[in-house]
Amino acid sequence: MSSRAHIGVGLVSVGWMGRLHSRAYLAAPVHYPDLPATAELVIAADPDAAGRSHAAETLGYRETTADYRDVLSHPAVDVVSICSPNFLHHEIAMAAVAAGKPFWIEKPMGRSVSESSEIARSAEAAGLMTSVGFNYRHAPAVAHARRLVREGALGTITNVRVALLADYSADPEGALTWRFSRDRAGTGVLGDLLSHGADLAQYVVGRIGSVSGLTETFIRTRPLPSGDSTSHFSKGARGGPTGHVENEDYAAVLARFDSGAVGVLESSRVAIGPRAEYRLEVYGTGGSLRWDFQRLNELQLADDTAGYRTIMVGPGHGDFARFQPGAGTSMGFDDLKTIEASLFLRSVVEGRQLAPSAADAWSAAEIVAASLRSAGSGVWTSVPAIEGGTTYDA
Ligand SMILES: NC(=O)c1ccc[n+]([C@@H]2O[C@H](COP(=O)([O-])OP(=O)(O)OC[C@H]3O[C@@H](n4cnc5c(N)ncnc54)[C@H](O)[C@@H]3O)[C@@H](O)[C@H]2O)c1
């Protein structure tokens, strides 16, 4: 008989991320036999009937509903995954706090610093464990990079380059979904992608203390969505009515770290060429390293003057051994979410914050907001320090 705790999962929104969270909950206890919990998929909410039927028939949720409040009030739900569009994150997260349910929320957590800070402070005050979808930190190559930086293998860190270049909005026929609305998404590529990069840079190198930002919107009008399409990849009706894009397609941020290192973070959602090129480069007085999500299982390391050598991640790097027995057999995106699910479940059962936290998401939101303010004013802007979180001390 297993002594594992039995955690009932409630899901809000059965889109790309909602389906992925669900698969990750089911996979986590299999990859982590020592995890003190198993997860049961209890109830999923989505106003879209196709999402609800996928939840019941494919993912195996016992119940479905159109109203997320049924998830929060369900007696068998112990934890909640919040995978809705950004404009619902704050409302649902605050309702989860009121219901006393730990939550795993997708990024960007809030549309603004005030939403993000309120969620983080409320969860902290209620003593609730949280998790945020900063999945790239879990790549074994990133875990290894962080260890190398912390052990001083690169000497003193001098500068950092982060580039998150994607093409999901490169097609001008891509529909004007909620992602392009300031009211519903908040920022554009700053919150959607650069927040991942800010988290990665802080996770590996340390706190960013001040920024100078620049933003631009290259595709200023888009066709209105046809039907209920909301995803990153929805197309508009050709020749139909159009509307204005209200947030940025592109952002570049110069950064000063508290350690004295400097850096540049750049992000585009309309780059043609890179598909999902999410790169982290760290340079120091004794060497440098480079990682790209598109080559998830490789770390480029230069610790002498002979240039880069490629380390294929394997057992001994991060959680790789939980997935494959030997280097060269690739892990994938779903595996990063399985690691995130395992950290969240362990956090909830053991009562200690191990997963990327709401405070970490608040910290990233401060960088996004300071970058946007700086882009407007043209002056360097300081980034307020956040108490708590797992970014600097895990
Ligand atoms: N961590 C990552 O790498 C990553 C990747 C993609 C998206 N995201 C984030 O995940 C979130 C969801 O994005 P997605 O790509 O899964 O979107 P999606 O468009 O695939 O899914 C959104 C779902 O929300 C549902 N929905 C709409 N209104 C709702 C309501 N009132 N109540 C409940 N559900 C409702 C839709 O029907 C749809 O099923 C966003 O915040 C996004 O930024 C994170």
Side-chain angles (χ1 to χ4, degrees), residues 330-341:
S330 301
M331 286 174 60
F333 186 50
D334 274 31
D335 297 330
L336 305 187
K337 279 304 207 207
T338 298
I339 297 172
E340 202 159 86

Side-chain angles (χ1 to χ4, degrees), residues 13 15-17 46-47 83 86 88-89 106-107 133 135 179 230:
S13 300
W16 179 17
M17 282 302 114
D46 202 302
C83 299
N86 300 1
L88 293 167
H89 287 187
E106 272 309 327
K107 44 51 56 183
N135 20 258
R179 287 189 165 79
T230 68

Side-chain angles (χ1 to χ4, degrees), residues 9 29 32 34 39 60 89 104 124 157 166 179 213 229 235 252 321 384:
V9 171
Y32 294 81
D34 54 330
H89 287 187
W104 178 9
E124 167 80 23
I157 302 306
R179 287 189 165 79
S229 54
K235 296 282 175 263

Side-chain angles (χ1 to χ4, degrees), residues 241-317:
T242 60
H244 289 287
V245 172
E246 295 174 352
N247 52 29
E248 70 292 342
D249 289 332
Y250 174 86
V253 177
L254 294 175
R256 286 193 180 279
F257 293 76
D258 286 352
S259 65
V262 296
V264 56
L265 296 83
E266 185 189 25
S267 198
S268 175
R269 61 187 179 190
V270 297
I272 296 174
R275 306 304 314 261
E277 187 177 297
Y278 306 152
R279 299 169 65 88
L280 170 71
E281 303 176 9
V282 183
Y283 299 85
T285 53
S288 67
L289 57 80
R290 309 198 291 200
W291 176 76
D292 174 6
F293 171 61
Q294 291 185 141
R295 305 190 78 88
L296 174 67
N297 296 282
E298 299 175 19
L299 185 68
Q300 303 282 321
L301 179 65
D303 49 9
D304 56 29
T305 52
Y308 288 102
R309 63 192 158 89
T310 301
I311 298 172
M312 293 300 300
V313 290
H317 298 131

Side-chain angles (χ1 to χ4, degrees), residues 135-152:
N135 20 258
Y136 303 112
R137 341 173 147 181
H138 311 308
V142 171
H144 188 50
R146 186 180 198 233
R147 201 172 92 198
L148 290 170
V149 168
R150 292 186 153 214
E151 289 174 356

Side-chain angles (χ1 to χ4, degrees), residues 313-348:
V313 290
H317 298 131
D319 279 6
F320 184 93
R322 301 291 191 157
F323 295 86
Q324 303 297 342
T329 304
S330 301
M331 286 174 60
F333 186 50
D334 274 31
D335 297 330
L336 305 187
K337 279 304 207 207
T338 298
I339 297 172
E340 202 159 86
S342 80
L343 289 168
F344 179 46
L345 292 172
R346 194 180 287 282
S347 299
V348 170

Side-chain angles (χ1 to χ4, degrees), residues 84-102:
S84 54
N86 300 1
F87 55 90
L88 293 167
H89 287 187
H90 177 261
E91 174 186 322
I92 299 171
M94 294 306 290
V97 171
K101 313 256 177 176

